[in-house]
Amino acid sequence: KVYQALYKICFDLAQSIRTLRINEAKRLEQTIKKHLNDLQLPNVIFEVAFSPLSKEQVAFKANGIDEVDFLVSFNKGEPTKPLSKVASGGEMSRFMLALKTVLGESIPLQTKIFDEIDHGVSGAIAYSIAEKIKTIASKAQVLCITHLPQVAAISDHHVKISKKTSQGRTFTIIKTLNEEEKIEEIARMISKKEPTDASIHMAKE
């Protein structure tokens, strides 16, 4: 009887946590979709799927009784599937940026680090990602590692990291660029070689 009473207490608490999670998941779905729309994914369907609840077959874990999966469809007319199985590199980058944006609003952190969050994107999508990062940076310090000129251009401070070999050893060189050096480096990122008049003009723009 004692075991049954304790089991019921645990189960009731776990069920209360589950209810809170389900309610919060609905808010998360709507917010994530809004941010993904900003990131050029207007047709996305996003669902937080919870495992079925069975009072007879429940496993109590440190963080509750729920098994949760993120189900998405990035293309109109396609059924939702687990995020890990359907997202391309660019789609995953944008999804993670949207998720980090939402979590950043709920969990205030002084510094956020994005390590090539723009991987697999280019063109107009890169500009969208840059704008989203800029928005995040208005509320927190952001350290963003990028190879995209669109993202580098929106930074308040541009730090160039390069490697140099000397006497058989490799050294990492870190340099904070001034405005003129930043324009030249962005022009180099655009042309992938020595800057040209055209790439410098585009970097200034």
Side-chain angles (χ1 to χ4, degrees):
K1 290 183 178 180
V2 173
Y3 170 82
Q4 291 176 339
L6 291 175
Y7 182 91
K8 185 178 185 306
I9 292 172
C10 280
F11 183 83
D12 290 345
L13 284 171
Q15 199 166 25
S16 297
I17 294 172
R18 179 184 174 92
T19 299
L20 291 171
R21 280 184 173 147
I22 290 174
N23 291 336
E24 187 63 22
K26 292 176 182 177
R27 187 192 69 82
L28 178 65
E29 289 171 354
Q30 296 303 315
T31 310
I32 288 285
K33 282 189 275 191
K34 176 184 177 298
H35 285 294
L36 289 175
N37 186 66
D38 295 340
L39 293 167
Q40 312 276 332
L41 287 170
N43 298 316
V44 69
I45 299 173
F46 170 56
E47 300 171 356
V48 182
F50 288 79
S51 57
L53 181 60
S54 170
K55 192 172 182 179
E56 291 72 30
Q57 297 178 339
V58 61
F60 294 111
K61 291 165 282 191
N63 57 0
I65 57 175
D66 300 307
E67 292 288 343
V68 177
D69 201 356
F70 286 173
L71 304 181
V72 296
S73 170
F74 291 105
N75 301 304
K76 186 176 290 187
E78 293 296 317
T80 56
K81 294 179 182 179
L83 175 66
S84 59
K85 294 183 178 180
V86 299
S88 66
E91 289 166 342
M92 182 64 80
S93 294
R94 283 177 280 172
F95 184 89
M96 291 308 298
L97 182 56
L99 183 61
K100 287 174 183 288
T101 302
V102 174
L103 293 180
E105 294 169 354
S106 304
I107 309 172
L109 299 173
Q110 292 182 332
T111 301
K112 297 180 174 69
I113 300 175
F114 295 146
D115 187 359
E116 297 191 31
I117 193 72
D118 48 27
H119 174 73
V121 304
S122 60
I125 296 172
Y127 283 108
S128 299
I129 287 180
E131 290 170 1
K132 186 64 67 177
I133 293 173
K134 189 72 172 178
T135 299
I136 297 171
S138 67
K139 299 179 181 178
Q141 176 177 263
V142 172
L143 177 61
C144 180
I145 300 163
T146 182
H147 293 287
L148 290 183
Q150 296 97 322
V151 175
I154 58 95
S155 64
D156 296 312
H157 306 279
H158 190 143
V159 179
K160 180 180 179 180
I161 302 175
S162 58
K163 291 184 179 181
K164 179 181 179 181
T165 302
S166 176
Q167 297 180 346
R169 293 193 61 191
T170 301
F171 297 89
T172 300
I173 301 170
I174 302 174
K175 181 181 180 182
T176 301
L177 306 182
N178 60 33
E179 187 68 19
E180 184 177 341
E181 290 169 331
K182 178 176 181 176
I183 290 171
E184 185 176 332
E185 181 59 27
I186 291 172
R188 186 176 287 108
M189 294 171 73
I190 292 170
S191 58
K192 292 189 176 180
K193 53 184 178 179
E194 289 305 308
T196 63
D197 290 341
S199 63
I200 288 175
H201 177 75
M202 184 174 289
K204 288 180 177 179
E205 182 183 346

